Amino acid sequence: MQDVKRVLKRLLLYFLLLLLADIPIPYFSNPYLLTLCSCLILYYSHRVSKKGSLKMLINATVGMELLFILLRSIKYDSLKELDVLTRYFWYLFYVPVLIIPLLLFYTSLAVDQQAQPSVQKKWGWCAWITTIFIFLVLTNDFHQLVFHFQPNFVNWNDQYSYETMYYALTLWQYVLYILSAFFMIKKCRVMRSRKQSWVILIPFTLGIAMLLLLATGNMPMFNGDELFEFPDIILFMVTGVMECCMQLGLIPTNNYYGMLFQKSMIGAQIIDEKGNSVYKSMNAVDLSESQLFLSDGTRIENHTILHKMKLHGGYGLWQDDVAYLDSMNENLEKVKERLSKEAEINRLRNELKERQIMIDQRSHVYDTIAIRTQIQSKKIALLADEALQCSSIECIEKNRIKIVILGAYIKRYANLMLISADENFIEIGEFAMSISEVLRSIKLYGISVEMVNCAKGKVITELILIVFETIEELLEMNLEFLQGVSAYLRNDEKHILCRLTLEDLRVGLEKLEKVAYKGIQTKIVQEDQITYITFILEKVGD
């Protein structure tokens, strides 16, 4: 509710700023609105700090509003006596009128940075439609499909009628406005912002209501003129919608980063080159002027070490509490005294030998894990190198998701291996959690997943590992094709059944030969584009 109140206050401020354009001062309105649009460009440049298409589109939208106001001032103040040229400047009005909703629409697409290039390419035909409408308006003198005039354009400024193309381009504008609001709400991943997104309808409703009043001749008068004109209303409606989206988080902005740093639990601060604090967390130690410029690793208190890192335009400072480490060092000194006795030394030696044996055993397990997952580890390294060389956000994000998928597999495979080091059997619940985490990771790739576990009991460790390896290979080989994956585990009398449902599986069924070689029964059913694979695992306990 607090966000809604803040948005309403901003809308009221915009409305009041627009009202100031009606101050009865000669030649005040147009320069004032031009200045207002220039300030909006600077304001949005500050709000949207990340460089890219989103910032460029928002500034271009306000730039079109600036052009709109400029065209109006040229027409009414400078070209009153030039009949033909005035008419063409009137036609030019419709260039920003048509481009503004198009830019706002592409802004709504650019909010989702993950899918930006492909999505904008998919909707590129919208720009062609807008271009056709602009061409029809600018060439209206030759065909009069938008505005119809008297013969030889007699008294054209007062005696004209709207034709079919005028209503079509007006409808097209509002289709783009509605689609813009729809996509901004749809792409927002913050549930609270989506619930409050109805606020966007306020500037839309006010703008459309004022346009209807203007079109029907019912707009209130002030100082002998209409209270609002067409460009003023468009300016209020578009900037109001963008401000609502920014305040609600539908368009990402750079607000509250300093507050986030302040509320964090780390004891850190950022200073400029003169030692002035720029950001400071609530757990940061207050440093004197001399301490700010100490070298990295300096002990500033009995149990506090100051760390320092050079940043662009200043330094990052954070402190480590080494009280626990100091306490451990003191205890080590006491242990050394006790080790002077031979019996104690022998006891410690035996203890060290036991620990060494345990470490050797664990190291062997780790080496085995590294060998069995070396293919995935190499793939992660290749994907990371490729991401560093990528120039597009889409490529980087795609490689990141693949790394997450491989990392989830390695993590869960290592966990199963560590369990197998101590036991010959694994609870089916551990296997289910492993599959579930891998499925959650591939969900990031846009694949729908589902995991249901109704099974209980234990299975031989080696069989679990083979099935898990096979599932990972199938998913990785078909990552670009799969539409959906579900896993269902249940019991029958003597077995545990793991049923895998894969939508649009194309390759990799030969991998099941390894499973069959180990004596694991499998059933494969293919219907249309859906493949059902059932692994039948012998249960060894409840």
Side-chain angles (χ1 to χ4, degrees), residues 2 16 19 51 62 78 130 164 213 232 253 288 290 332 347 360 366 387 397 406 466:
Q2 194 68 27
L16 293 176
L19 279 176
K51 295 182 178 179
V62 184
S78 304
T130 300
T164 304
L213 289 175
D232 309 344
T253 60
S288 64
S290 59
L332 286 174
R347 185 185 67 81
D360 291 340
Y366 291 152
E397 183 63 16
L406 294 171
I466 292 171

Side-chain angles (χ1 to χ4, degrees), residues 223-282:
N223 290 328
D225 296 321
E226 292 176 329
L227 185 61
F228 295 111
E229 296 183 4
F230 183 67
D232 309 344
I233 298 171
I234 295 295
L235 176 62
F236 169 76
M237 184 171 66
V238 174
T239 54
V241 169
M242 287 198 294
E243 184 64 27
C244 289
C245 293
M246 289 182 183
Q247 291 291 334
L248 294 177
L250 302 179
I251 293 178
T253 60
N254 62 336
N255 280 347
Y256 309 119
Y257 292 163
M259 185 180 297
L260 174 65
F261 190 87
Q262 181 184 7
K263 297 295 183 181
S264 64
M265 300 303 295
I266 60 173
Q269 59 182 306
I270 296 175
I271 62 173
D272 60 21
E273 294 181 347
K274 296 181 180 180
N276 299 317
S277 180
V278 179
Y279 293 114
K280 185 177 182 180
S281 69
M282 59 183 180

Side-chain angles (χ1 to χ4, degrees), residues 206-226:
L206 288 176
I208 293 173
M210 288 190 288
L211 288 173
L212 289 174
L213 289 175
L214 191 65
T216 58
N218 294 317
M219 176 63 70
M221 306 298 288
F222 181 76
N223 290 328
D225 296 321
E226 292 176 329

Side-chain angles (χ1 to χ4, degrees), residues 4 16 152 157 185 192 259 297 315 365 469 476:
V4 174
L16 293 176
N152 298 321
N157 202 20
I185 295 171
R192 187 180 69 174
M259 185 180 297
Y315 299 91
V365 175
E469 289 174 2
E476 186 178 340

Side-chain angles (χ1 to χ4, degrees), residues 161-174:
S161 60
Y162 299 122
E163 295 298 322
T164 304
M165 285 298 104
Y166 175 81
Y167 297 106
L169 67 87
T170 301
L171 177 62
W172 175 243
Q173 294 173 50
Y174 288 102

Side-chain angles (χ1 to χ4, degrees), residues 68-96:
F68 198 13
I69 303 299
L70 183 62
L71 287 172
R72 183 183 73 166
S73 64
I74 292 174
K75 174 191 170 184
Y76 288 113
D77 296 341
S78 304
L79 302 172
K80 293 181 179 180
E81 305 301 327
L82 301 176
D83 189 63
V84 176
L85 192 56
T86 302
R87 188 167 63 255
Y88 274 94
F89 266 93
W90 179 43
Y91 292 160
L92 283 174
F93 272 13
Y94 288 88
V95 174

Side-chain angles (χ1 to χ4, degrees), residues 87-92 94-95 98 131-149 153 165 169:
R87 188 167 63 255
Y88 274 94
F89 266 93
W90 179 43
Y91 292 160
L92 283 174
Y94 288 88
V95 174
L98 289 165
T131 303
I132 292 171
F133 280 131
I134 291 173
F135 176 78
L136 288 173
V137 173
L138 294 179
T139 59
N140 184 70
D141 278 5
F142 302 101
H143 50 73
Q144 298 194 26
L145 294 174
V146 184
F147 305 103
H148 184 74
F149 303 106
F153 301 98
M165 285 298 104
L169 67 87

